[in-house]
Amino acid sequence: MLVFQDDGGGMDPEGVRQCMSLGFSTKKSKTTIGQYGNGFKTSTMRLGADAIVFTRAIRENNVTLSIGLLSYTFLRRTMKDDIVVPMLDFVVQDGQIAPLVYGSQGDWDSSLKIILDWSPFSSKEELLQQFEDMDSHGTKVLIYNLWMNDDGLLELDFDDDDEDILLRDQGQNSGASTKVQKEIIQQHISHRLRFSLRAYSSILYLKKFENFQIILRGKPVEQINIANELKFKKVVTYKPQVAYDSQVVSVRVDIGFAKEAPVLGIFGINVYHKNRLIMPFWKVLQEASSRGRSVIGVLEANFIEPAHDKQDFERTPLFIRLETKLKQIIVDYWKEKCHLIGYQPIDPKLRSQYKAALKDSGGPGVKIRHEASTAQKTGGHLSNLLPQTYDDEAAFRLTANRAGSALHSSGQGSMDSAGLEEDLVDIGSLGVLDPNCNEKLSEENLVLFTRREDLRQRDTQLKQTIGELEHELEETRRKCSQLAAELQLRRSQQQHYM
């Protein structure tokens, strides 16, 4: 059984009927998600055969309790021609719970019988007990008779991680070539979101929420902003032409390299709609091309319509123009900054200057080793080591100046909305990797990432040890207080006898 519970406003009897009716929706706002009125029904039925809803609401000082059953098992076994959703309502008056009859008493009694026959609860009292752990308002959804796979096992895995819910057997193939790479990829959000509810929930919303929290299996979900995880980040402004008579739309695109670059080729654009993730790590460019390697982007595209399942966008001309523009943004960013993660510059002139700068400075590997030694001594975060190697383009220009030449930089300005055409450059000449640079970077980064995971595990163990010691300290204090009280009592008794 799955239980989803919130402490929101709850639903009154009319609201819960609208929620459990197919195709009903009042959401016509341009600023909220939800439109077609099928999300609750299709999502619950995808997880299990049956769902029962408990909701408590306060409307104009009226406190109501409502229960609704959406049961595929009931409909199938009773061979119903229509979708029947039994509902029960109660009203709280003077602290007493009384039935609230909207139709006839016979209909109310019939709904109660169906719910007791086809739900995990066998009496009206057991149903009402589900409201006892709610506050003054909120909703609880129980999904049961969860679906099985072909092997007769639950599709959802609750055993491998006590703080997560996983899709069974979905996280095995990571596409890594080495054991170390496999371990790093398996911990990366782009891989884990495919099968981990905690990972997916952590990036589900773009903006940091202050009055909202997701708690999964007793532990809060830590929200992650992918844009904050990028290095050598650049902000690009895109102004699509939505309609001839509409206002100008301005879209911010955060683009940069993954912090694991260039060891791992993780890349893709994360597209949000009205603050909710629609397309995670969308591979705008083909994987066969070197350009765009390790480039990750984030944007909120409210000007295009998502598909009904909220997992894709409708393939409209506006979406196709966005796709074309994102390709251009990635290619331009790659041309400008690929040398910062160890690739040779695309421009032949910059490439020769880059080689001269590396030769003059003794190569990037020397500085990386120095930074690694410094980080180990100071206990710094090793995952941030590579950005310090080439702090920014300005620092790289200083190195090139010492070699007698200056690198040309296009700056951090925004791209305009023109130039939607694909940059037709010979792919064979793009992203030529400096073998010595890449080998040293890869070797050092593998060591750094492995050590980072060790430090994380050590930090978790230390926190657990601290918690256990604090518990022991509290127990010791309690015992000392008891002994002190007993000692004081005995002293008082001795003085009394004397």
Side-chain angles (χ1 to χ4, degrees), residues 31-267:
T31 60
T32 60
I33 62 174
Q35 180 178 352
Y36 305 104
N38 293 323
F40 171 76
K41 279 72 66 174
T42 56
S43 59
T44 54
M45 292 298 100
R46 175 61 188 87
L47 296 170
D50 308 297
I52 185 169
V53 178
F54 300 86
T55 183
R56 180 187 180 107
I58 303 175
R59 301 290 189 271
E60 298 179 354
N61 296 324
N62 293 322
V63 180
T64 57
L65 313 177
S66 296
I67 304 172
L69 178 68
L70 185 63
S71 173
Y72 173 76
T73 305
F74 159 66
L75 297 175
R76 180 172 55 86
R77 292 188 181 177
T78 56
M79 302 178 66
K80 298 290 184 183
D81 295 329
D82 298 323
I83 296 178
V84 177
V85 182
M87 306 287 300
L88 292 176
D89 301 294
F90 300 86
V91 62
V92 180
Q93 294 178 339
D94 299 327
Q96 300 298 319
I97 300 176
L100 182 61
V101 179
Y102 272 86
S104 66
Q105 185 64 43
D107 292 337
W108 197 96
D109 294 338
S110 175
S111 294
L112 175 61
K113 184 178 186 308
I114 294 173
I115 291 175
L116 295 180
D117 287 344
W118 299 97
S119 78
F121 308 100
S122 58
S123 67
K124 184 179 70 173
E125 289 70 27
E126 288 186 8
L127 291 172
L128 294 176
Q129 283 178 3
Q130 293 301 308
F131 293 97
E132 292 181 358
D133 63 344
M134 290 187 186
D135 292 329
S136 58
H137 43 73
T139 300
K140 180 190 296 184
V141 180
L142 278 64
I143 304 175
Y144 55 101
N145 289 329
L146 302 178
W147 298 120
M148 305 280 187
N149 62 14
D150 293 338
D151 297 327
L153 302 174
L154 288 174
E155 289 183 341
L156 300 177
D157 181 3
F158 300 93
D159 299 324
D160 284 352
D161 192 333
D162 292 339
E163 298 177 348
D164 202 354
I165 298 176
L166 309 175
L167 285 176
R168 192 178 300 277
D169 302 328
Q170 294 297 308
Q172 301 301 320
N173 183 19
S174 61
S177 57
T178 67
K179 181 179 180 180
V180 176
Q181 279 188 326
K182 182 178 180 181
E183 292 176 353
I184 298 174
I185 289 178
Q186 287 180 343
Q187 295 302 317
H188 196 271
I189 190 70
S190 64
H191 177 70
R192 289 191 58 81
L193 67 86
R194 305 175 191 172
F195 59 90
S196 165
L197 180 58
R198 180 171 293 276
Y200 182 75
S201 301
S202 68
I203 62 172
L204 182 58
Y205 297 103
L206 177 61
K207 301 178 181 65
K208 195 79 173 179
F209 39 74
E210 299 178 354
N211 60 343
F212 176 76
Q213 187 179 49
I214 301 174
I215 301 174
L216 176 59
R217 303 190 76 176
K219 181 180 179 181
V221 173
E222 181 181 355
Q223 191 176 7
I224 298 175
N225 189 320
I226 300 175
N228 294 339
E229 301 284 314
L230 304 178
K231 61 184 181 184
F232 307 118
K233 185 172 72 171
K234 181 175 182 179
V235 177
V236 180
T237 301
Y238 171 46
K239 297 181 179 180
Q241 183 64 44
V242 178
Y244 291 106
D245 57 347
S246 64
Q247 295 181 348
V248 177
V249 176
S250 181
V251 180
R252 171 191 172 117
V253 182
D254 291 292
I255 190 168
F257 287 114
K259 60 185 179 183
E260 296 84 0
V263 177
L264 301 181
I266 297 165
F267 68 100

Side-chain angles (χ1 to χ4, degrees), residues 306-471:
H308 284 213
D309 60 2
K310 302 295 191 300
Q311 302 299 308
D312 201 349
F313 288 97
E314 299 291 347
R315 301 288 164 167
T316 62
L318 199 59
F319 176 83
I320 295 174
R321 291 205 301 271
L322 172 64
E323 182 178 18
T324 306
K325 183 61 179 179
L326 290 176
K327 289 180 180 179
Q328 186 65 53
I329 291 173
I330 295 172
V331 169
D332 290 344
Y333 178 85
W334 175 258
K335 287 181 180 179
E336 180 185 345
K337 298 181 182 295
C338 66
H339 62 279
L340 298 176
I341 61 168
Y343 283 80
Q344 296 184 18
I346 305 303
D347 190 310
K349 294 181 180 179
L350 290 178
R351 188 180 301 171
S352 61
Q353 294 170 359
Y354 173 74
K355 290 181 178 179
L358 290 181
K359 182 178 180 181
D360 181 66
S361 62
V366 175
K367 189 171 184 181
I368 287 178
R369 290 192 183 93
H370 171 71
E371 295 285 354
S373 176
T374 303
Q376 290 175 0
K377 291 178 181 178
T378 60
H381 292 289
L382 299 178
S383 60
N384 296 325
L385 183 60
L386 191 55
Q388 296 172 0
T389 306
Y390 299 110
D391 186 36
D392 54 21
E393 292 173 282
F396 192 82
R397 284 200 299 271
L398 291 176
T399 305
N401 285 333
R402 288 198 300 268
S405 59
L407 288 177
H408 173 72
S409 172
S410 59
Q412 298 288 338
S414 299
M415 299 181 184
D416 58 20
S417 58
L420 293 176
E421 296 79 20
E422 172 96 33
D423 187 5
L424 300 177
V425 184
D426 182 13
I427 295 178
S429 66
L430 293 176
V432 181
L433 191 63
D434 185 341
N436 296 328
C437 176
N438 182 63
E439 182 179 353
K440 294 175 182 177
L441 285 171
S442 299
E443 179 181 350
E444 294 292 339
N445 271 274
L446 289 173
V447 174
L448 296 177
F449 285 121
T450 303
R451 178 161 174 76
R452 184 186 68 175
E453 294 304 317
D454 292 340
L455 290 174
R456 283 182 175 176
Q457 294 179 4
R458 182 182 176 186
D459 182 61
T460 302
Q461 292 174 355
L462 288 174
K463 288 181 179 178
Q464 183 178 355
T465 302
I466 291 173
E468 293 174 353
L469 291 174
E470 288 178 345
H471 179 72

Side-chain angles (χ1 to χ4, degrees), residues 478-493:
R478 186 179 60 81
K479 291 179 180 178
C480 287
S481 298
Q482 292 178 348
L483 291 174
E486 291 178 3
L487 180 60
Q488 184 66 29
L489 179 61
R490 289 183 180 180
R491 286 177 178 175
S492 299
Q493 290 175 349

